Amino acid sequence: MSFIKVTPEYRPQIALIELNRPKELNALNLELMGQLRDALQELDKNDTIRVIILTGNEKAFAAGADIKQMAGKSAIDMLNIDQFSTWDQIRKTRKPLIAAVSGFALGGGCELAMTCDMIVASETAKFGQPEIKIGVMPGAGGTQRLTRAIGKARAMEMVLTGEFISAYEAKAYGLVNKVVPVEVYLEEAVRLAQKIAAMSPIAARLAKEAVNRAFETHLDEGLHFERKNFYLTFASEDQKEGMQAFIEKRQPKYKGK
Ligand code: CAA
């Protein structure tokens, strides 16, 4: 079963990857992430492609990691599944990667958008790290990338309250590059991709590497720390309660245990 749709020649030199689990708001299960990694690696090797656009649908870019897939897992299960090694490979995509975001970009969805090099958002986009509401915390780079992108105070508020920000707030905070009406967000991403595709692909690759180098200095330690703490939340009763409450569509009762 395919959870993504890949159009290598969406436009000349521009590939499009669409996340395609609409009923689950593109929740990022392990299979989807594996398919996304494979598609990106394939497109990275394809000399006719210069820029890749990653999108969801109007209602959701992605509503986060798949809670139903994670809910019953232990900390050691999570450690063994090692889902974030796939994310590390995605992070190594060499070609410029643009996220075209409409609707929900939450939890892992927000983290996936931030893993891309630039974000074009529709006016309806909502960004958030609501993991705290289900008894866990961001695990795919949220505490690190969001903090670097929008600063400590705003990131802390988003991560500790789980509240969403609008597309215009995200633009004002420097998280997204452009905000446009929902009817044209994909076209706007294409326009940006076309500008980049017109540049030397070698220069683009080297420039991307250089920008990321600046961004990632001292990041590894933070990601490592975050990951361990993310796994550790799976040792708590509150994680089980939070995820179970989500699935049963009720309010969670946290014990702080
Ligand atoms: N995982 C699994 N299923 C999800 C999901 C997720 N992250 N998000 C939505 N869904 C499912 C819902 O369970 C629902 O399925 P059913 O119809 O089978 O019940 C379907 O998608 C539609 O969702 P809703 O009915 O909830 O839609 P809504 O419009 O009322 O609400 C929403 C939308 C506010 C995004 C809400 O779905 C929501 O809060 N989702 C969870 C967001 C979240 O907590 N994300 C973080 C996940 S943890 C994470 O990402 C960890 C990490 O750092 C890697």
Side-chain angles (χ1 to χ4, degrees):
M1 187 167 186
S2 188
F3 294 117
I4 61 170
K5 183 175 170 219
V6 184
T7 313
E9 285 287 336
Y10 183 66
R11 297 292 164 82
Q13 300 176 321
I14 296 167
L16 180 70
I17 303 178
E18 292 162 272
L19 305 178
N20 191 26
R21 281 190 89 196
K23 274 199 268 171
E24 293 83 7
L25 305 182
N26 291 332
L28 304 168
N29 62 14
L30 297 174
E31 296 77 14
L32 184 155
M33 291 307 294
Q35 291 169 11
L36 178 59
R37 184 256 335 267
D38 293 347
L40 287 168
Q41 289 182 342
E42 203 56 45
L43 293 170
D44 233 5
K45 282 188 263 165
N46 181 340
D47 287 342
T48 62
I49 305 298
R50 291 192 179 178
V51 183
I52 305 163
I53 298 173
L54 177 62
T55 196
N57 54 53
E58 279 190 18
K59 178 152 189 213
F61 176 72
D66 190 324
I67 298 169
K68 292 168 191 169
Q69 198 172 50
M70 291 187 293
K73 300 277 189 285
S74 69
I76 301 304
D77 291 336
M78 294 300 285
L79 201 63
N80 287 337
I81 292 167
D82 190 23
Q83 69 196 73
F84 299 119
S85 61
T86 311
W87 290 72
D88 290 340
Q89 290 165 308
I90 288 173
R91 184 159 68 100
K92 292 195 176 121
T93 304
R94 290 177 308 196
K95 289 181 183 162
L97 184 55
I98 299 172
V101 175
S102 181
F104 298 113
L106 306 178
C110 186
E111 290 166 311
L112 183 59
M114 291 191 290
T115 302
C116 297
D117 301 311
M118 283 157 283
I119 303 176
V120 173
S122 88
E123 285 172 334
T124 64
K126 291 183 184 67
F127 297 85
Q129 298 289 159
E131 290 90 341
I132 193 101
K133 290 185 176 170
I134 53 169
V136 293
M137 59 177 279
T143 63
Q144 303 304 299
R145 289 204 178 88
L146 192 65
T147 306
R148 281 167 170 77
I150 71 175
K152 177 185 163 182
R154 289 175 182 132
M156 198 65 97
E157 189 174 339
M158 284 176 72
V159 168
L160 295 185
T161 67
E163 282 174 7
F164 308 158
I165 57 170
S166 70
Y168 285 110
E169 285 171 308
K171 170 85 166 56
Y173 299 169
L175 184 64
V176 313
N177 295 69
K178 290 168 194 290
V179 181
V180 294
V182 64
E183 297 78 22
V184 296
Y185 76 99
L186 189 52
E187 271 317 297
E188 190 63 31
V190 168
R191 251 196 298 280
L192 181 58
Q194 282 170 330
K195 281 187 198 167
I196 298 164
M199 309 298 164
S200 156
I202 297 167
R205 176 180 161 184
L206 294 175
K208 169 174 167 165
E209 254 176 47
V211 172
N212 277 338
R213 189 68 184 217
F215 176 72
E216 287 177 359
T217 307
H218 305 304
L219 180 63
D220 277 356
E221 188 55 33
L223 287 173
H224 190 66
F225 188 81
E226 175 192 79
R227 199 168 296 182
K228 287 273 161 57
N229 281 9
F230 174 73
Y231 294 143
L232 205 53
T233 61
F234 281 77
S236 71
E237 288 178 27
D238 284 354
Q239 172 267 329
K240 295 286 173 295
E241 165 65 8
M243 290 195 174
Q244 202 54 42
F246 172 81
I247 291 165
E248 292 169 9
K249 300 185 188 297
R250 62 173 171 79
Q251 287 300 313
K253 293 193 194 82
Y254 293 122
K255 296 184 194 154
K257 290 187 183 169

